[in-house]
């Protein structure tokens, strides 16, 4: 059956298999077009098409005068869905772990009060957690929660269960508001994520509702070299 596939598809399947098995690891150079063409008994143009497709799919990267290399895969998250980061990582075959940096009751500053819908200076719960995928730090989560809706929030073990998993189990999310911007990390943020202060990051600001209840105000900071966001829009709703 494999012989019935187009020649360039067979080359693509081979390269994908080698990448997934780890034979070609991130940063490795794959065989040159001429070598692939000879191995599969096809033209160089056919080999070029297979490689070009994988470059367009983000699996490979061309370097002028050097060759084609396997790219470092980035963690990925949907912009329009609220997903538990631990579940996202598990879906990719990775292992989630986390470190709680801060977990405390604070007085809401003006910006937090506005976003969370409470009075400035009122008591709110605050958590600051670094999430890792296979030991690599991919997200700094800062979350403010209305204590009236989760009075035992500070007693939770967030190294076993994420804030998202605990809150969504009680209050299924019905609405979400996102904003995304590119930022540079502060010295404190860079240290927490083990990156340089000059590395660009993606900052996601999110508010989540369950019906009429505004549950939490969250800021998510991702190193740009380790993470990407995707979005899928149903055009029938536009």
């Amino acid at each position: 059956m494999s012989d019935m596939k187009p020649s360039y598809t067979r080359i693509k399947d081979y390269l994908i298999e080698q990448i997934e098995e780890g034979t070609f690891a991130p940063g490795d150079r794959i065989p040159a077009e001429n070598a692939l063409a000879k191995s599969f008994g096809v033209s160089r143009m056919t080999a070029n098409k297979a490689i070009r497709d994988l470059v367009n799919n983000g699996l490979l990267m061309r370097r002028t005068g050097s060759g084609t290399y396997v790219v470092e895969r980035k963690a990925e998250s949907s912009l329009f869905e609220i997903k538990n980061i631990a579940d996202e990582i598990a879906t990719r075959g990775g292992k989630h772990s986390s470190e709680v940096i801060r977990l405390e009751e604070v007085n809401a500053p003006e910006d937090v009060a506005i976003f969370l819908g409470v009075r400035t200076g009122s008591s709110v719960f605050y958590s600051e957690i670094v999430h890792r995928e296979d030991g690599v730090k991919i997200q700094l989560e800062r979350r403010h929660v209305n204590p009236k809706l989760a009075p035992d929030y500070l007693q939770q073990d967030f190294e076993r269960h994420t804030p998202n998993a605990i809150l969504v189990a009680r209050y299924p999310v019905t609405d979400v508001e996102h904003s995304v911007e590119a930022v540079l990390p502060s010295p404190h943020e860079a240290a927490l994520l083990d990156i340089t202060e000059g590395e660009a990051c993606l900052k996601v600001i999110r508010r989540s509702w369950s019906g009429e209840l505004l549950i939490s105000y969250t800021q998510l900071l991702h190193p740009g070299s380790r993470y990407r966001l995707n979005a899928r829009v149903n055009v029938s709703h536009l």
Side-chain angles (χ1 to χ4, degrees):
M1 293 294 291
S2 60
D3 292 337
M4 299 176 63
K5 294 182 179 180
S7 297
Y8 79 91
T9 300
R10 289 191 290 117
I11 297 176
K12 282 176 59 178
D13 289 347
Y14 164 76
L15 292 173
I16 290 172
E17 180 180 347
Q18 297 302 300
I19 292 171
E20 290 181 344
E21 291 181 352
T23 304
F24 297 152
D28 285 353
R29 184 172 64 182
I30 67 167
E33 290 177 4
N34 285 337
L36 288 171
K38 183 176 180 180
S39 295
F40 285 85
V42 298
S43 68
R44 180 176 177 179
M45 183 178 299
T46 298
N48 177 273
K49 176 173 173 53
I51 293 174
R52 188 170 66 247
D53 283 359
L54 294 181
V55 169
N56 291 337
N57 290 340
L59 291 178
L60 300 176
M61 174 181 63
R62 293 185 187 272
R63 294 179 184 170
T64 304
S66 177
T68 304
Y69 295 80
V70 180
V71 302
E72 186 78 39
R73 292 197 180 186
K74 298 182 180 181
E76 182 172 322
S77 178
S78 172
L79 179 59
F80 294 150
E81 295 180 77
I82 300 294
K83 291 184 178 179
N84 180 6
I85 188 170
D87 292 341
E88 289 184 0
I89 291 172
T91 299
R92 295 191 289 268
K95 180 181 179 181
H96 170 265
S97 60
S98 62
E99 177 184 357
V100 177
I101 308 301
R102 292 174 60 189
L103 184 59
E104 59 192 0
E105 185 173 353
V106 300
N107 294 326
E110 183 177 4
D111 59 332
V112 171
I114 291 173
F115 278 109
L116 198 52
V118 298
R119 290 185 177 182
T120 300
S122 60
S123 293
V124 298
F125 293 153
Y126 176 71
S127 58
E128 186 171 292
I129 301 172
V130 172
H131 295 281
R132 295 181 291 255
E133 180 171 354
D134 295 330
V136 178
K137 297 177 179 180
I138 63 170
Q139 183 189 92
L140 171 60
E141 173 190 333
R142 294 189 174 105
R143 186 184 296 262
H144 290 84
V145 176
N146 188 332
K148 293 181 180 179
L149 301 177
D152 60 346
Y153 184 78
L154 300 182
Q155 282 71 56
Q156 302 302 314
D157 183 354
F158 291 125
E159 293 189 356
R160 294 187 58 192
H161 305 286
T162 67
N164 173 277
I166 290 172
L167 292 173
V168 169
R170 301 181 184 184
Y171 301 99
V173 174
T174 57
D175 295 279
V176 62
E177 175 185 276
H178 281 112
S179 68
V180 182
E181 61 181 323
V183 299
L184 291 176
S186 69
H188 175 66
E189 292 167 338
L192 289 177
L193 290 169
D194 288 341
I195 58 176
T196 66
E197 294 176 31
E199 177 167 343
C201 294
L202 288 174
K203 182 178 182 180
V204 179
I205 297 176
R206 173 186 296 165
R207 293 200 295 172
S208 307
W209 284 264
S210 182
E212 298 298 319
L213 300 176
L214 178 52
I215 307 302
S216 67
Y217 162 57
T218 311
Q219 298 181 62
L220 308 173
L221 190 69
H222 309 276
S225 62
R226 304 173 190 166
Y227 213 83
R228 68 182 179 186
L229 294 169
N230 69 72
R232 177 177 295 179
V233 179
N234 188 330
V235 295
S236 65
H237 293 163
L238 298 179

